Amino acid sequence: MTEDVARQQTAAGAERILLAAVDLFGRHGVKGTSLKTIAVAAGVSPPLIVHHYGSKEALRVACDQHVARVLRTAKTDTVEQGQYPDPLSLMSQLRENRPVVRYLARTLGDGSPLVNALVDEMVAEAERYTEAGVEAGLLRPSANPRARVVVLFLWSMGALVLHEHLERLLGVSLLDGEEPPLPYLQAVLEIYADGVLADGTYEELRHYVSSQGEPDGSERQER
């Protein structure tokens, strides 16, 4: 076996471990998943997990980084296309990244000290690709870009944490099944594209917020 082949096999083993851990941590939680279970799913021995990652907690950190990287790539690719996201493409991304979505839902509800670091990293990435979206003309500018990113991020993550209620009320799942969650996606697209407030309401609310000494935002653009 050549040195290059050995390195490739080593990297492939580490990748299998990581993907198996993301899937199992998302399904059963970190406490409910043993290294032995991950090793069986990845087709490796438990000592190999320790060799690559050191401990289950270190593997959890690697999973956090992987999830943030996957989401960053998906969002960045959409912005770099220089066009509005295709709903069919969004559905496809959701199906392909179900283990990542499931992992996020579980991790955000765990209350682990690692959650803050993951959320901070994802918000920072969201700020970057949102700025790129504004520059590309895909998104409206904001008077307070960070606040907008934080609120939108927490809204979307809230849907994951409350996914059981979403399934109960709308009959769609963000975590399981092959069918795309059409009612959820349609509602999100409508809110983002068309807004919710009727004409005139926005101006009244903005005037009220401005009178309280808060930033009043940029002028509303005509749709």
Side-chain angles (χ1 to χ4, degrees):
M1 181 185 300
T2 67
E3 187 175 337
D4 286 343
V5 171
R7 279 199 298 265
Q8 290 173 2
Q9 291 183 350
T10 298
E15 181 74 6
R16 289 201 308 274
I17 293 168
L18 184 66
L19 296 180
V22 167
D23 183 51
L24 292 170
F25 286 164
R27 292 180 185 277
H28 309 297
V30 175
K31 292 183 179 179
T33 304
S34 67
L35 290 183
K36 182 178 179 180
T37 304
I38 296 171
V40 170
V44 302
S45 65
L48 190 60
I49 298 179
V50 176
H51 169 74
H52 283 301
Y53 295 101
S55 66
K56 186 164 75 169
E57 201 64 15
L59 177 57
R60 162 80 179 273
V61 173
C63 288
D64 286 352
Q65 294 169 344
H66 170 76
V67 167
R69 186 166 57 249
V70 168
L71 295 176
R72 177 173 63 246
T73 299
K75 296 290 187 179
T76 302
D77 286 349
T78 298
V79 170
E80 288 180 349
Q81 289 174 4
Q83 57 188 14
Y84 292 99
D86 177 2
L88 294 178
S89 175
L90 292 176
M91 294 178 202
S92 176
Q93 285 184 13
L94 184 59
R95 285 195 298 270
E96 292 173 2
N97 294 323
R98 277 277 165 77
V100 167
V101 175
R102 194 180 293 115
Y103 179 91
L104 268 179
R106 172 75 67 167
T107 299
L108 291 172
D110 272 356
S112 164
L114 296 174
V115 170
N116 285 353
L118 176 60
V119 169
D120 289 351
E121 181 177 354
M122 293 172 64
V123 167
E125 290 298 335
E127 287 185 272
R128 281 191 279 272
Y129 61 67
T130 297
E131 182 181 356
V134 171
E135 292 176 354
L138 299 178
L139 302 174
R140 297 176 185 271
S142 170
N144 192 337
R146 176 171 172 77
R148 182 172 72 172
V149 166
V150 169
V151 170
L152 288 177
F153 175 81
L154 294 179
W155 280 355
S156 63
M157 294 301 103
L160 288 183
V161 174
L162 298 174
H163 65 92
E164 292 180 350
H165 294 286
L166 185 67
E167 185 170 2
R168 180 177 63 85
L169 295 170
L170 290 184
V172 297
S173 174
L174 297 179
L175 308 186
D176 299 295
E178 293 301 318
E179 293 300 318
L182 282 175
Y184 172 76
L185 291 174
Q186 289 168 343
V188 169
L189 291 173
E190 178 184 305
I191 291 168
Y192 281 168
D194 301 328
V196 177
L197 300 178
D199 291 343
T201 306
Y202 176 89
E203 285 75 9
E204 293 177 8
L205 289 175
R206 190 178 64 179
H207 176 73
Y208 171 78
V209 171
S210 177
S211 70
Q212 303 304 306
E214 296 293 333
D216 64 359
S218 58
E219 293 299 319
R220 187 184 187 187
Q221 300 179 26
E222 293 298 327
R223 287 191 169 90

